Amino acid sequence: MYNTYIMNYETLPHYWVNHLGFQIRKKLEEGFAAKKLDVTAEEWALLLILSNHEKLSPTDLSQLSLRDTTTVSRMLDRLERKALIARRRTHKDRRKVDIEMTPAGRELFPELAEVAQSLIAASLVGVASEHQKVVTGILRKMSANLAEMKGKPDV
């Protein structure tokens, strides 16, 4: 039976956010591969977060990247094998680890960032800076709205 409740995905900002996210991941990976940089878009996301922090716990990385801890752990394993991150035991509790970029990771980061910056610039061609600020503000508000739902029953 045909569903009478129809949503036009083309009019939903959520569809376009998701669509853009997929495009960005694909183009990032194409850009990294073209420069022979052995990093996925998902790994880049973790390196980008780490670039703004001296070190983070896996839990913090999981929360900041909105990925579950198992997925982050697998990505960290790959980044560690590539010698781009290191796991360091904390001094306060030897059972806990902090994640930090290695010197090799910090050395590679500018090349990765150059690819990302180029993609960002290409995606913003023809978009006025005031519109960029408005879109960013709207997306942040939508994200905050969803974050406030944590622990509440589904809508």
mmCIF file of all heavy atoms in Angstrom, residues 127-151:
data_model
loop_
_atom_site.group_PDB
_atom_site.id
_atom_site.type_symbol
_atom_site.label_atom_id
_atom_site.label_comp_id
_atom_site.label_asym_id
_atom_site.label_seq_id
_atom_site.Cartn_x
_atom_site.Cartn_y
_atom_site.Cartn_z
ATOM 1 N N VAL A 127 29.110 31.895 -2.299
ATOM 2 C CA VAL A 127 28.355 32.010 -1.055
ATOM 3 C C VAL A 127 28.953 33.160 -0.245
ATOM 4 O O VAL A 127 30.101 33.084 0.199
ATOM 5 C CB VAL A 127 28.395 30.692 -0.236
ATOM 6 C CG1 VAL A 127 27.585 30.842 1.049
ATOM 7 C CG2 VAL A 127 27.897 29.516 -1.064
ATOM 8 N N ALA A 128 28.183 34.208 -0.082
ATOM 9 C CA ALA A 128 28.652 35.395 0.628
ATOM 10 C C ALA A 128 28.983 35.062 2.076
ATOM 11 O O ALA A 128 28.356 34.186 2.683
ATOM 12 C CB ALA A 128 27.595 36.497 0.569
ATOM 13 N N SER A 129 29.976 35.765 2.631
ATOM 14 C CA SER A 129 30.401 35.476 4.002
ATOM 15 C C SER A 129 29.263 35.652 5.005
ATOM 16 O O SER A 129 29.165 34.894 5.969
ATOM 17 C CB SER A 129 31.607 36.335 4.398
ATOM 18 O OG SER A 129 31.268 37.699 4.376
ATOM 19 N N GLU A 130 28.379 36.624 4.774
ATOM 20 C CA GLU A 130 27.255 36.785 5.711
ATOM 21 C C GLU A 130 26.300 35.597 5.632
ATOM 22 O O GLU A 130 25.712 35.199 6.634
ATOM 23 C CB GLU A 130 26.509 38.119 5.493
ATOM 24 C CG GLU A 130 25.886 38.300 4.135
ATOM 25 C CD GLU A 130 26.786 39.008 3.119
ATOM 26 O OE1 GLU A 130 27.994 39.158 3.356
ATOM 27 O OE2 GLU A 130 26.253 39.395 2.077
ATOM 28 N N HIS A 131 26.162 34.994 4.452
ATOM 29 C CA HIS A 131 25.326 33.795 4.330
ATOM 30 C C HIS A 131 25.989 32.602 5.014
ATOM 31 O O HIS A 131 25.305 31.765 5.602
ATOM 32 C CB HIS A 131 25.034 33.481 2.865
ATOM 33 C CG HIS A 131 24.136 34.486 2.218
ATOM 34 N ND1 HIS A 131 24.218 34.822 0.890
ATOM 35 C CD2 HIS A 131 23.142 35.255 2.729
ATOM 36 C CE1 HIS A 131 23.321 35.746 0.611
ATOM 37 N NE2 HIS A 131 22.649 36.023 1.705
ATOM 38 N N GLN A 132 27.309 32.517 4.924
ATOM 39 C CA GLN A 132 28.036 31.449 5.607
ATOM 40 C C GLN A 132 27.787 31.528 7.106
ATOM 41 O O GLN A 132 27.553 30.507 7.761
ATOM 42 C CB GLN A 132 29.532 31.548 5.327
ATOM 43 C CG GLN A 132 29.913 31.279 3.894
ATOM 44 C CD GLN A 132 31.390 31.540 3.649
ATOM 45 O OE1 GLN A 132 32.218 31.211 4.491
ATOM 46 N NE2 GLN A 132 31.708 32.109 2.497
ATOM 47 N N LYS A 133 27.814 32.745 7.647
ATOM 48 C CA LYS A 133 27.576 32.922 9.081
ATOM 49 C C LYS A 133 26.151 32.528 9.463
ATOM 50 O O LYS A 133 25.929 31.898 10.496
ATOM 51 C CB LYS A 133 27.851 34.373 9.484
ATOM 52 C CG LYS A 133 29.313 34.737 9.437
ATOM 53 C CD LYS A 133 29.534 36.203 9.756
ATOM 54 C CE LYS A 133 31.001 36.561 9.567
ATOM 55 N NZ LYS A 133 31.241 37.992 9.652
ATOM 56 N N VAL A 134 25.190 32.888 8.620
ATOM 57 C CA VAL A 134 23.795 32.549 8.894
ATOM 58 C C VAL A 134 23.614 31.032 8.874
ATOM 59 O O VAL A 134 23.015 30.456 9.782
ATOM 60 C CB VAL A 134 22.842 33.236 7.885
ATOM 61 C CG1 VAL A 134 21.426 32.674 8.000
ATOM 62 C CG2 VAL A 134 22.832 34.740 8.099
ATOM 63 N N VAL A 135 24.133 30.378 7.839
ATOM 64 C CA VAL A 135 24.004 28.921 7.723
ATOM 65 C C VAL A 135 24.670 28.238 8.913
ATOM 66 O O VAL A 135 24.104 27.321 9.517
ATOM 67 C CB VAL A 135 24.598 28.407 6.387
ATOM 68 C CG1 VAL A 135 24.738 26.894 6.389
ATOM 69 C CG2 VAL A 135 23.731 28.854 5.227
ATOM 70 N N THR A 136 25.859 28.685 9.266
ATOM 71 C CA THR A 136 26.565 28.096 10.412
ATOM 72 C C THR A 136 25.741 28.264 11.687
ATOM 73 O O THR A 136 25.597 27.315 12.468
ATOM 74 C CB THR A 136 27.960 28.721 10.571
ATOM 75 O OG1 THR A 136 28.698 28.495 9.371
ATOM 76 C CG2 THR A 136 28.705 28.127 11.748
ATOM 77 N N GLY A 137 25.190 29.440 11.885
ATOM 78 C CA GLY A 137 24.353 29.685 13.062
ATOM 79 C C GLY A 137 23.128 28.790 13.098
ATOM 80 O O GLY A 137 22.772 28.239 14.145
ATOM 81 N N ILE A 138 22.489 28.625 11.959
ATOM 82 C CA ILE A 138 21.302 27.775 11.878
ATOM 83 C C ILE A 138 21.673 26.321 12.176
ATOM 84 O O ILE A 138 20.990 25.646 12.951
ATOM 85 C CB ILE A 138 20.634 27.894 10.491
ATOM 86 C CG1 ILE A 138 20.001 29.283 10.332
ATOM 87 C CG2 ILE A 138 19.584 26.793 10.293
ATOM 88 C CD1 ILE A 138 19.581 29.621 8.908
ATOM 89 N N LEU A 139 22.751 25.834 11.572
ATOM 90 C CA LEU A 139 23.156 24.441 11.797
ATOM 91 C C LEU A 139 23.545 24.204 13.253
ATOM 92 O O LEU A 139 23.223 23.157 13.827
ATOM 93 C CB LEU A 139 24.300 24.061 10.854
ATOM 94 C CG LEU A 139 23.924 24.019 9.368
ATOM 95 C CD1 LEU A 139 25.160 23.769 8.515
ATOM 96 C CD2 LEU A 139 22.859 22.976 9.098
ATOM 97 N N ARG A 140 24.229 25.168 13.854
ATOM 98 C CA ARG A 140 24.592 25.036 15.271
ATOM 99 C C ARG A 140 23.335 24.976 16.133
ATOM 100 O O ARG A 140 23.250 24.204 17.087
ATOM 101 C CB ARG A 140 25.495 26.182 15.702
ATOM 102 C CG ARG A 140 26.894 26.103 15.105
ATOM 103 C CD ARG A 140 27.709 27.319 15.496
ATOM 104 N NE ARG A 140 28.049 27.228 16.906
ATOM 105 C CZ ARG A 140 29.287 27.095 17.359
ATOM 106 N NH1 ARG A 140 30.294 27.056 16.517
ATOM 107 N NH2 ARG A 140 29.513 27.024 18.645
ATOM 108 N N LYS A 141 22.329 25.806 15.809
ATOM 109 C CA LYS A 141 21.081 25.814 16.571
ATOM 110 C C LYS A 141 20.344 24.483 16.411
ATOM 111 O O LYS A 141 19.833 23.916 17.389
ATOM 112 C CB LYS A 141 20.190 26.976 16.121
ATOM 113 C CG LYS A 141 18.837 27.040 16.804
ATOM 114 C CD LYS A 141 18.950 27.153 18.310
ATOM 115 C CE LYS A 141 17.573 27.239 18.957
ATOM 116 N NZ LYS A 141 17.596 26.834 20.353
ATOM 117 N N MET A 142 20.291 23.969 15.178
ATOM 118 C CA MET A 142 19.635 22.682 14.952
ATOM 119 C C MET A 142 20.348 21.583 15.738
ATOM 120 O O MET A 142 19.693 20.725 16.351
ATOM 121 C CB MET A 142 19.625 22.357 13.455
ATOM 122 C CG MET A 142 18.700 23.257 12.641
ATOM 123 S SD MET A 142 18.922 23.087 10.845
ATOM 124 C CE MET A 142 18.279 21.431 10.590
ATOM 125 N N SER A 143 21.671 21.614 15.742
ATOM 126 C CA SER A 143 22.443 20.621 16.493
ATOM 127 C C SER A 143 22.175 20.745 17.990
ATOM 128 O O SER A 143 21.997 19.743 18.685
ATOM 129 C CB SER A 143 23.935 20.802 16.190
ATOM 130 O OG SER A 143 24.701 19.852 16.888
ATOM 131 N N ALA A 144 22.135 21.967 18.489
ATOM 132 C CA ALA A 144 21.850 22.184 19.909
ATOM 133 C C ALA A 144 20.455 21.676 20.265
ATOM 134 O O ALA A 144 20.257 21.081 21.333
ATOM 135 C CB ALA A 144 21.988 23.667 20.252
ATOM 136 N N ASN A 145 19.496 21.899 19.381
ATOM 137 C CA ASN A 145 18.135 21.403 19.625
ATOM 138 C C ASN A 145 18.137 19.890 19.789
ATOM 139 O O ASN A 145 17.477 19.351 20.681
ATOM 140 C CB ASN A 145 17.208 21.785 18.471
ATOM 141 C CG ASN A 145 16.886 23.268 18.430
ATOM 142 O OD1 ASN A 145 17.112 24.003 19.385
ATOM 143 N ND2 ASN A 145 16.375 23.716 17.294
ATOM 144 N N LEU A 146 18.870 19.200 18.913
ATOM 145 C CA LEU A 146 18.925 17.747 19.006
ATOM 146 C C LEU A 146 19.694 17.296 20.247
ATOM 147 O O LEU A 146 19.330 16.305 20.878
ATOM 148 C CB LEU A 146 19.534 17.149 17.739
ATOM 149 C CG LEU A 146 18.680 17.313 16.482
ATOM 150 C CD1 LEU A 146 19.411 16.750 15.269
ATOM 151 C CD2 LEU A 146 17.322 16.669 16.643
ATOM 152 N N ALA A 147 20.740 18.012 20.598
ATOM 153 C CA ALA A 147 21.513 17.661 21.792
ATOM 154 C C ALA A 147 20.653 17.791 23.054
ATOM 155 O O ALA A 147 20.808 17.010 23.989
ATOM 156 C CB ALA A 147 22.754 18.543 21.896
ATOM 157 N N GLU A 148 19.746 18.746 23.061
ATOM 158 C CA GLU A 148 18.860 18.938 24.211
ATOM 159 C C GLU A 148 17.876 17.773 24.379
ATOM 160 O O GLU A 148 17.328 17.580 25.441
ATOM 161 C CB GLU A 148 18.091 20.244 24.083
ATOM 162 C CG GLU A 148 18.936 21.481 24.291
ATOM 163 C CD GLU A 148 18.176 22.767 24.059
ATOM 164 O OE1 GLU A 148 16.927 22.739 23.981
ATOM 165 O OE2 GLU A 148 18.847 23.805 23.948
ATOM 166 N N MET A 149 17.676 17.007 23.321
ATOM 167 C CA MET A 149 16.755 15.874 23.384
ATOM 168 C C MET A 149 17.364 14.683 24.079
ATOM 169 O O MET A 149 16.666 13.707 24.372
ATOM 170 C CB MET A 149 16.333 15.456 21.965
ATOM 171 C CG MET A 149 15.444 16.439 21.262
ATOM 172 S SD MET A 149 15.079 15.912 19.567
ATOM 173 C CE MET A 149 14.276 14.339 19.855
ATOM 174 N N LYS A 150 18.655 14.702 24.359
ATOM 175 C CA LYS A 150 19.328 13.557 24.958
ATOM 176 C C LYS A 150 18.598 13.132 26.227
ATOM 177 O O LYS A 150 18.335 13.931 27.117
ATOM 178 C CB LYS A 150 20.783 13.929 25.276
ATOM 179 C CG LYS A 150 21.624 12.768 25.684
ATOM 180 C CD LYS A 150 23.067 13.172 25.854
ATOM 181 C CE LYS A 150 23.911 11.953 26.105
ATOM 182 N NZ LYS A 150 25.315 12.278 26.158
ATOM 183 N N GLY A 151 18.284 11.868 26.272
ATOM 184 C CA GLY A 151 17.614 11.335 27.448
ATOM 185 C C GLY A 151 16.101 11.492 27.429
ATOM 186 O O GLY A 151 15.402 10.928 28.253
#
